[in-house]
Amino acid sequence: MPKFLDKLFGKKTKSEDETIAELRATINRLQLRAKELDKRAKMSREQAKELIRIGNKEGAKFQLKRWYRYVQLFNRYSRQIASLEDAIATIETARDSVEMSRALATALDALRQAREIASPERAMELMARMDQTMQEIESTSQILSEGFEVAGEEDISIEKELEKLETEVMLEETGELPKVPAKIEKEAAEIEEEVKKLKEETTKEKEEKEEA
């Protein structure tokens, strides 16, 4: 095996096919786990919805906390699956590179027999490009496997989801959206009245100037 592959994967007794098979088996297990988490997340959300329907807002918040946790775990497993899939792609790409190298070696032998020797500078350039490509693939895998969470994101997500569930329950039970509080309606009416007065005063001043 070429040295650059030794550095990438390490010297091992397992073949690439065995490694890929193990990675795919791991991906299948993670996908089953992610599917179960997604199912639990949906179930917790439905339970929160039912609790809102009977007026138990605190119970709904508790269920939404569970929903949030399941969603975060689901996202984590999704990133891990993506990372393993990238690893498989990297191994397959490396294996293709080995086969390509062998084909190039055969071609080089033919060229040597014909006394047409390839340029060393060109070979170094090809190896440098290959090394850069492998590094970019590795960097992409690391980025996809990293997760982050904004401070306070859980509370914000829960409050927003709670508002959405309250609206859904209201629509299902009454067919109408929640009414705007009377205080807000009163303030809006007062603002509208003030704007109307300002328009009337402006029009009156303009008419007086024209008459003068």
Side-chain angles (χ1 to χ4, degrees):
M1 181 178 291
K3 291 183 178 180
F4 79 93
L5 289 180
D6 287 342
K7 292 181 179 179
L8 181 63
F9 303 109
K11 293 182 178 180
K12 56 187 184 308
T13 57
K14 294 181 181 178
S15 67
E16 284 82 5
D17 288 334
E18 290 174 334
T19 301
I20 290 175
E22 289 183 2
L23 289 174
R24 292 196 187 282
T26 301
I27 288 174
N28 290 336
R29 289 195 297 271
L30 293 178
Q31 286 175 336
L32 289 174
R33 179 59 175 157
K35 184 177 180 180
E36 178 63 22
L37 289 168
D38 183 57
K39 180 180 178 181
R40 292 184 182 182
K42 291 177 180 178
M43 186 180 301
S44 294
R45 190 180 186 278
E46 285 301 316
Q47 290 176 349
K49 189 174 181 180
E50 290 299 322
L51 289 169
I52 288 177
R53 189 174 278 116
I54 63 176
N56 189 349
K57 195 170 184 178
E58 288 301 317
K61 282 187 175 182
F62 174 77
Q63 288 299 328
L64 287 177
K65 281 181 177 290
R66 298 183 65 186
W67 162 82
Y68 180 85
R69 177 61 176 168
Y70 291 142
V71 169
Q72 295 303 307
L73 289 173
F74 173 83
N75 292 336
R76 182 184 301 173
Y77 276 97
S78 297
R79 288 192 295 270
Q80 292 174 350
I81 291 169
S83 297
L84 292 178
E85 289 174 343
D86 287 341
I88 291 174
T90 301
I91 294 172
E92 292 175 339
T93 300
R95 184 166 55 185
D96 292 340
S97 297
V98 171
E99 294 176 358
M100 184 63 180
S101 296
R102 290 171 180 167
L104 289 173
T106 302
L108 181 58
D109 289 338
L111 290 173
R112 282 177 176 173
Q113 291 176 6
R115 295 184 179 179
E116 296 178 4
I117 302 174
S119 169
E121 290 79 8
R122 179 59 176 168
M124 290 179 63
E125 180 183 352
L126 290 173
M127 290 300 296
R129 289 183 180 179
M130 185 179 295
D131 184 61
Q132 181 181 356
T133 300
M134 299 302 294
Q135 290 179 8
E136 290 175 355
I137 293 173
E138 179 65 21
S139 297
T140 300
S141 298
Q142 291 178 359
I143 291 172
L144 291 173
S145 65
E146 292 176 355
F148 63 91
E149 183 174 333
V150 179
E153 181 180 356
E154 177 179 354
D155 293 337
I156 294 174
S157 298
I158 289 174
E159 289 299 327
K160 286 184 178 181
E161 198 67 23
L162 187 63
E163 292 176 3
K164 286 170 63 178
L165 286 176
E166 289 176 337
T167 302
E168 289 179 15
V169 171
M170 178 67 74
L171 284 171
E172 291 175 1
E173 293 181 350
T174 66
E176 299 178 355
L177 290 171
K179 295 183 178 180
V180 178
K183 182 178 180 181
I184 296 178
E185 290 183 347
K186 182 178 179 182
E187 291 177 353
E190 292 176 352
I191 292 173
E192 185 177 354
E193 184 65 25
E194 289 293 330
V195 172
K196 184 178 179 182
K197 288 182 180 180
L198 287 172
K199 287 183 178 180
E200 292 176 352
E201 291 176 359
T202 302
T203 303
K204 185 176 180 181
E205 289 178 0
K206 185 176 180 181
E207 292 175 351
E208 289 178 351
K209 288 181 180 179
E210 290 177 351
E211 291 177 358

